[in-house]
Amino acid sequence: MPKIDEDSNRSLNKLGRPPLKKPKTLVIPSNTTTTSHRPFDFNFSINNGSSPNNGDFPNEQWKYPSFLGTKTRRKRVSVKTSKTQKLEFSNPVGAGAELGDGDKNKVGKSSVVPAPPLPASSSSVTLPAQSNTRRPLESKPSPILYLLIVTCIISVPYAAYLQYRVAKLEGMKLDRCCEDGICNNNGRGSLEQNDGSFSYSLNADSRTMALYIVIFTLIMPFVLYKYLDYLPQIINFLRIRKNNKEDDVPNKEDVPLKKRIAYMVDVFFSIYPYAKLLALLFATLFLIGFGGLALYAVTGGSFAEALWHSWTYVADSGNHAETEGTGQRIVSVSISSGGMLIFAMMLGLVSDAISEKVDSLRKGKSEVIERNHILILGWSDKLGSLLKQLAIANKSVGGGVIVVLAEKEKEEMEMDIAKLEFDLMGTSVICRSGSPLILADLKKVSVSKARAIIVLASDENADQSDARALRVVLSLTGVKEGLNGHVVVEMSDLDNEPLVKLVGGDLIETVVAHDVIGRLMIQCALQPGLALIWEDILGFENAEFYIKRWPELDNLSFKDVLISFPDAIPCGIKVAAEGGKIILNPDDHYVLREWDEVLVIAEDDDTYAPGPLPEVRKGLFRRIPDPPKYPEKILFCGWRRDIHDMIMVLEAFLAPGSELWMFNEVPEKEREKKLFDGGLDVPGLMNIKLVHRVGNAVIRRHLESLPLETFDSILILADESVEDSVAHSDSRSLATLLLIRDIQSKRLPYKDSRSSGFSHTCWIREMQQASDRSIIISEILDSGTRNLVSVSRISDYVLSNELVSMALAMVAEDKQINRVLEELFAEEGNEMCIKPAEFYVFDQEELCFYDIMVRGRERREIVIGYRLGNQERAIINPPEKSVPRKWSLDDVFVVIASGD
């Protein structure tokens, strides 16, 4: 047995290993699939010269032994034990240098990896492998790939051989022609033969080169697809061999190159919108060029002619039918197939582009290019009435443009608007789907060019709706181009109004819909018929407010200005010296100054103008004082969130000793808490006394517990619990109205004795008799319900949604009108009133309307219209004001009077 080297034994003793006793070779090859994060893998092969296959055993996977310490990257270490034995260690990546006796300390940055102990009684060493570590299975190349490679290798030399044979045969033909005497004796034929051979050889070489390029181009995609992932490994291996640095060892956990290329292509097509068209154009040019090159290789024509034929095959798939020759037909069919594929892709791209454009138009994603339009942000039940009023306002100018931006589908919005079934009178309504909180969507509807912007309250509760309105106002203030028009914001709670005005500044006009309707209901309860008058004034169908300057009225007193308009009624002055403050019902001795404007009630802004002063009768008329206020008994059916504001208004209007009964389902303690949170001082009420009753207003038994026949006015409120549902709220109000009227009619001491038997109108007649004793004001949200209430004439009503829409439309047309409405709806200052005729005329007295206006000024009132005793609706701004007529004491007059 050979002698073991002493240096090797000493090295093994330092590592804690027993000396080698047999001439064995322990080979630890590198595992190229092991990463720096996996356990170290050892492959042991022991060759003692006695086993078959030269002592080679199958490779096994070994876990890096824990007693060797922390695993680090190492170069290959070779320890010689004797002339026939050699111990080799391999680093994880298989890159390193063998060290001999004198190089065993030169192992780079890491220390020497000792070999595991070898058992003396066995020629094979087996270490337990880690259970969750497996060598990845190498994918075997497909047989088709091998067949394709072999075919290409055989076909290329064979094609070259055929080209050589063709050239040789042509040369033999030319030689034979010269031998037959075709060439002349001067050697001119030999020269021509040489010239023809050179030209033909050059042409043949170019065709051969074209054939090689075609074949190479066909093979390269398959080769690249198969071996593309190995390209980074080859590059890194060459870099490591060149630099000999361990830091340049490639990371085996990198994403494969094919996946990275696929990802880059995907990102490219996603980011750039015209990437598909560019790719299709490149594919078309490549197919034409590659097909032309292939045709040039298999035909006898020029390269330009081959390119033209390639284009015809791409453009017309049936153009290859007349080709001759096997090679030319194969190439032409291939080009035509590629052309069909390209045109199919082109058709798909065009179809997708058209579908996307149509879809964007259908969904309302296109930009609105308009100017001086009205923009409505949001969607609510008031939108139908609002569109109707704006259309009527635009009728005088031939129509306009209204743009609606809401978070609904464009088709759904258009269908809802079409269901309204009213004539827009030349006004166009454009719907766009988007969020008013997104600046991009606001720019899409040309928000900076709109002459007015209306922000509708959402169908959420009051706080959420006002919070959303505040965010919309913040979005509008963030428009970089600025806003040319003013913004009208519909608020739900009066307490949130100051915050919105603080954010929006002077461009913001707020309409607190809920509080306006609450105050209007109280005014209508105290003055029956006032709701219809407000419908006529707020709507654009009849007379409405306008402000305009008239220089010819300068230096005239207001009492003369009052009768200067035959087609309008002046109501106030916009004082330029006080910053544009509007004074309603000014003093008669106020003289108009330069730049002052006149507030009037007229049919339209172009239907009135000042005229000469008419002659009026200035006869004396006794001034009848207003009747004293008496205590009243009022019932509230339902609960509104602004009921504390309504109570404050009643406190200002009612006489001391009045009672307010509150009948709803809210517990009494919770009511007191809500009233206190709303800022109402219940013990501090001086004129009214609160009486609480708990019950359901649609249950007859609960209503019968109330003294319904004793109330002067009953207000049926849209209850807070059902105000989000228009149909449910109106159904509840209508049911409550019918139950109350029926109970009142049964308790009255008189009935119609002429009604015998059952009649379908007898119950209506009884309820109408009950309405003479008690006033009921119903809050109606849907205009369709108005017909059910008005036909029976058993109740007055307030169409809240429509009145709010009218107010929004009026303020959108002229934001100055908001100051007028705020004063008329407030509990202090001037208000709209209905006065009896005895305050202004004698019975059957013949006077013109100008005379009555002059008599109204003696009471510091402005008479704006009248209602005859035999008519249901009032006439505001009557025509022919100078024509006299007889008046009855049953008539009433509509005036603007001071509430002082």
Side-chain angles (χ1 to χ4, degrees):
M1 181 175 62
K3 185 179 179 182
I4 299 175
D5 193 357
E6 295 179 0
D7 293 337
S8 299
N9 283 331
R10 284 196 299 269
S11 299
L12 293 176
N13 290 332
K14 292 179 180 180
L15 298 175
R17 299 288 183 271
L20 296 176
K21 297 182 179 180
K22 292 183 180 181
K24 300 178 181 178
T25 301
L26 179 60
V27 181
I28 307 175
S30 61
N31 185 5
T32 58
T33 63
T34 306
T35 63
S36 60
H37 302 286
R38 295 174 53 187
F40 198 95
D41 293 342
F42 286 93
N43 295 328
F44 294 93
S45 178
I46 302 176
N47 187 0
N48 55 6
S50 60
S51 63
N53 299 328
N54 298 326
D56 295 334
F57 289 85
N59 293 334
E60 298 289 336
Q61 291 185 350
W62 303 103
K63 179 173 67 176
Y64 181 77
S66 60
F67 57 81
L68 295 181
T70 305
K71 178 180 76 68
T72 57
R73 298 174 181 170
R74 292 169 173 81
K75 296 182 179 179
R76 174 172 293 179
V77 180
S78 179
V79 181
K80 294 184 179 180
T81 57
S82 65
K83 295 181 180 181
T84 60
Q85 294 178 341
K86 182 170 66 174
L87 180 63
E88 295 182 355
F89 300 92
S90 301
N91 62 357
V93 294
E98 296 183 0
L99 300 179
D101 296 336
D103 299 326
K104 56 189 176 183
N105 293 326
K106 301 177 181 180
V107 292
K109 298 180 181 180
S110 60
S111 59
V112 178
V113 179
L118 301 175
S121 59
S122 177
S123 61
S124 176
V125 180
T126 303
L127 295 179
Q130 188 175 357
S131 61
N132 58 355
T133 303
R134 292 290 184 266
R135 181 188 301 273
L137 298 177
E138 296 181 356
S139 60
K140 296 182 179 180
S142 176
I144 299 177
L145 180 62
Y146 287 135
L147 180 60
L148 181 61
I149 295 175
V150 171
T151 303
C152 294
I153 293 174
I154 296 174
S155 60
V156 172
Y158 182 68
Y161 172 73
L162 292 178
Q163 291 291 336
Y164 171 72
R165 291 289 298 170
V166 170
K168 186 175 181 180
L169 290 175
E170 293 291 339
M172 293 174 62
K173 183 177 180 180
L174 291 174
D175 292 340
R176 186 175 298 175
C177 291
C178 293
E179 291 176 358
D180 293 339
I182 297 177
C183 300
N184 55 12
N185 296 328
N186 296 328
R188 198 174 295 172
S190 176
L191 180 61
E192 291 176 0
Q193 176 186 356
N194 294 335
D195 292 341
S197 299
F198 177 75
S199 174
Y200 183 81
S201 299
L202 182 61
N203 193 12
D205 292 341
S206 62
R207 296 183 190 280
T208 303
M209 183 62 67
L211 182 61
Y212 290 159
I213 293 174
V214 170
I215 295 174
F216 177 78
T217 307
L218 290 175
I219 296 174
M220 280 304 297
F222 297 97
V223 176
L224 288 176
Y225 180 78
K226 183 64 181 178
Y227 299 104
L228 190 62
D229 289 338
Y230 296 98
L231 183 60
Q233 299 179 10
I234 296 173
I235 295 175
N236 290 325
F237 177 75
L238 295 177
R239 188 184 304 166
I240 293 171
R241 297 283 297 190
K242 181 178 180 181
N243 299 332
N244 196 17
K245 294 181 179 179
E246 292 185 1
D247 294 338
D248 295 331
V249 176
N251 187 5
K252 296 302 180 65
E253 293 184 355
D254 287 343
V255 179
L257 185 60
K258 284 190 293 187
K259 290 186 178 182
R260 281 186 284 171
I261 294 176
Y263 174 73
M264 293 171 62
V265 172
D266 186 23
V267 172
F268 179 75
F269 280 102
S270 301
I271 294 178
Y272 300 100
Y274 300 104
K276 296 180 180 179
L277 295 177
L278 293 177
L280 185 61
L281 177 62
F282 175 77
T284 304
L285 296 177
F286 176 78
L287 180 60
I288 294 173
F290 183 76
L293 190 63
L295 287 175
Y296 176 69
V298 298
T299 59
S302 63
F303 181 67
E305 191 72 17
L307 286 177
W308 173 252
H309 284 291
S310 177
W311 158 246
T312 58
Y313 296 155
V314 171
D316 187 3
S317 59
N319 199 27
H320 66 278
E322 299 179 357
T323 56
E324 298 178 355
T326 304
Q328 186 175 357
R329 288 179 176 178
I330 293 174
V331 174
S332 61
V333 169
S334 302
I335 298 174
S336 299
S337 301
M340 288 188 290
L341 180 62
I342 286 177
F343 273 92
M345 295 172 60
M346 183 182 299
L347 181 62
L349 290 178
V350 173
S351 177
D352 291 343
I354 295 176
S355 300
E356 184 179 356
K357 185 62 178 177
V358 173
D359 187 64
S360 65
L361 293 175
R362 180 175 58 85
K363 292 184 177 181
K365 297 181 179 179
S366 59
E367 184 178 358
V368 175
I369 304 177
E370 294 289 345
R371 184 181 295 273
N372 294 327
H373 58 284
I374 295 179
L375 176 60
I376 301 176
L377 302 179
W379 188 276
S380 69
D381 298 325
K382 306 179 186 67
L383 183 65
S385 302
L386 180 60
L387 292 177
K388 181 179 179 180
Q389 294 301 322
L390 292 175
I392 296 173
N394 294 330
K395 180 181 178 180
S396 60
V397 294
V401 178
I402 302 174
V403 181
V404 181
L405 177 65
E407 298 180 10
K408 295 181 66 176
E409 293 295 334
K410 177 176 178 290
E411 294 179 341
E412 184 180 356
M413 289 189 285
E414 292 176 347
M415 290 179 60
D416 292 342
I417 293 175
K419 292 178 182 178
L420 299 176
E421 296 182 354
F422 61 81
D423 186 13
L424 293 175
M425 294 168 285
T427 299
S428 302
V429 180
I430 302 174
C431 299
R432 286 294 180 267
S433 179
S435 175
L437 303 177
I438 301 176
L439 290 177
D441 292 342
L442 291 176
K443 293 180 180 179
K444 183 173 62 177
V445 293
S446 300
V447 63
S448 59
K449 300 177 182 178
R451 62 184 175 92
I453 303 172
I454 302 176
V455 182
L456 294 179
S458 60
D459 295 332
E460 303 168 317
N461 60 54
D463 293 333
Q464 293 178 353
S465 177
D466 291 347
R468 183 181 180 277
L470 179 62
R471 293 196 300 269
V472 173
V473 172
L474 287 173
S475 300
L476 293 174
T477 57
V479 178
K480 295 182 180 180
E481 295 83 0
L483 302 177
N484 293 332
H486 60 282
V487 182
V488 184
V489 183
E490 179 191 359
M491 303 294 298
S492 300
D493 196 339
L494 185 63
D495 298 333
N496 300 324
E497 183 182 18
L499 182 59
V500 175
K501 286 187 175 181
L502 177 64
V503 173
D506 297 334
L507 290 177
I508 303 298
E509 296 292 336
T510 57
V511 176
V512 188
H514 212 262
D515 293 81
V516 167
I517 297 302
R519 295 174 182 178
L520 181 59
M521 289 190 67
I522 293 176
Q523 293 182 8
C524 295
L526 301 179
Q527 303 179 68
L530 191 60
L532 295 177
I533 296 174
W534 271 114
E535 286 186 21
D536 294 337
I537 293 178
L538 292 178
F540 287 96
E541 293 179 329
N542 299 307
E544 56 269 358
F545 290 104
Y546 293 101
I547 299 178
K548 188 181 294 186
R549 165 166 166 72
W550 301 98
E552 55 267 33
L553 298 179
D554 291 346
N555 301 322
L556 288 180
S557 61
F558 183 75
K559 67 177 181 179
D560 294 332
V561 172
L562 184 64
I563 56 177
S564 298
F565 293 89
D567 299 315
I569 298 178
C571 302
I573 301 297
K574 181 181 178 181
V575 183
E578 298 183 12
K581 180 181 178 181
I582 298 177
I583 301 177
L584 279 174
N585 191 14
D587 189 81
D588 285 343
H589 302 290
Y590 179 83
V591 179
L592 268 71
R593 301 179 180 87
E594 188 178 5
W595 303 113
D596 284 351
E597 301 180 28
V598 181
L599 171 68
V600 301
I601 295 179
E603 185 178 357
D604 208 339
D605 58 349
D606 56 353
T607 59
Y608 70 99
L613 295 178
E615 293 183 3
V616 295
R617 295 173 58 181
K618 299 182 180 180
L620 297 177
F621 184 79
R622 68 185 189 281
R623 179 173 181 177
I624 302 176
D626 291 339
K629 294 181 179 181
Y630 296 99
E632 297 190 29
K633 192 175 182 180
I634 299 178
L635 172 65
F636 280 0
C637 288
W639 182 273
R640 287 168 56 101
R641 59 176 176 269
D642 64 334
I643 201 168
H644 55 278
D645 292 329
M646 299 178 66
I647 296 175
M648 292 179 183
V649 175
L650 280 177
E651 172 70 14
F653 285 157
L654 296 182
S658 301
E659 291 184 0
L660 174 61
W661 288 54
M662 303 177 65
F663 178 72
N664 50 68
E665 297 181 272
V666 180
E668 185 175 350
K669 292 184 179 180
E670 187 175 350
R671 294 182 197 176
E672 295 177 355
K673 181 179 182 303
K674 289 184 176 182
L675 294 176
F676 178 78
D677 294 339
L680 179 64
D681 184 14
V682 177
L685 296 177
M686 303 298 295
N687 297 332
I688 60 177
K689 174 186 176 182
L690 298 182
V691 180
H692 297 280
R693 291 292 186 271
V694 179
N696 193 338
V698 295
I699 299 178
R700 187 183 184 93
R701 184 180 68 257
H702 294 177
L703 289 173
E704 289 178 344
S705 63
L706 300 175
L708 297 177
E709 70 279 3
T710 63
F711 292 106
D712 299 299
S713 301
I714 299 176
L715 277 69
I716 302 176
L717 309 177
D719 199 89
E720 184 180 16
S721 60
V722 295
E723 65 179 357
D724 294 338
S725 176
V726 174
H728 192 186
S729 177
D730 286 355
S731 299
R732 186 183 180 92
S733 299
L734 187 60
T736 304
L737 169 63
L738 295 176
L739 288 175
I740 291 176
R741 280 306 188 198
D742 185 60
I743 295 173
Q744 287 180 339
S745 63
K746 297 295 189 295
R747 293 180 179 179
L748 290 177
Y750 60 91
K751 292 185 178 180
D752 189 3
S753 59
R754 293 174 297 176
S755 61
S756 60
F758 177 78
S759 173
H760 68 282
T761 59
C762 64
W763 64 276
I764 297 180
R765 191 177 301 110
E766 293 177 357
M767 291 182 180
Q768 290 176 352
Q769 290 178 357
S771 65
D772 296 335
R773 298 285 302 274
S774 177
I775 301 171
I776 296 182
I777 307 296
S778 303
E779 181 180 3
I780 303 300
L781 302 180
D782 187 8
S783 58
T785 313
R786 170 178 55 183
N787 300 328
L788 302 176
V789 179
S790 60
V791 168
S792 61
R793 290 183 298 175
I794 60 177
S795 170
D796 204 350
Y797 61 90
V798 173
L799 196 58
S800 59
N801 282 351
E802 189 163 349
L803 288 175
V804 172
S805 301
M806 293 176 179
L808 290 172
M810 184 171 288
V811 177
E813 290 294 330
D814 189 354
K815 67 176 183 178
Q816 303 175 102
I817 304 301
N818 197 25
R819 307 289 178 269
V820 179
L821 299 181
E822 287 177 352
E823 182 174 351
L824 292 177
F825 283 124
E827 61 269 17
E828 297 179 356
N830 292 277
E831 59 181 348
M832 196 84 66
C833 300
I834 297 178
K835 300 287 185 176
E838 60 183 0
F839 288 179
Y840 311 97
V841 296
F842 296 106
D843 190 19
Q844 301 300 318
E845 185 179 7
E846 187 173 353
L847 295 172
C848 68
F849 192 76
Y850 280 131
D851 297 333
I852 298 176
M853 292 177 64
V854 171
R855 290 183 179 181
R857 289 307 298 169
E858 297 176 0
R859 300 172 55 87
R860 187 65 189 282
E861 298 171 351
I862 298 177
V863 183
I864 63 174
Y866 60 87
R867 187 184 68 193
L868 300 180
N870 57 355
Q871 295 181 357
E872 295 182 0
R873 301 193 70 92
I875 299 176
I876 307 299
N877 183 29
E880 299 179 353
K881 298 179 178 62
S882 59
V883 177
R885 59 164 299 156
K886 290 184 179 181
W887 302 95
S888 171
L889 295 181
D890 295 333
D891 302 334
V892 294
F893 290 92
V894 183
V895 302
I896 296 178
S898 176
D900 299 338

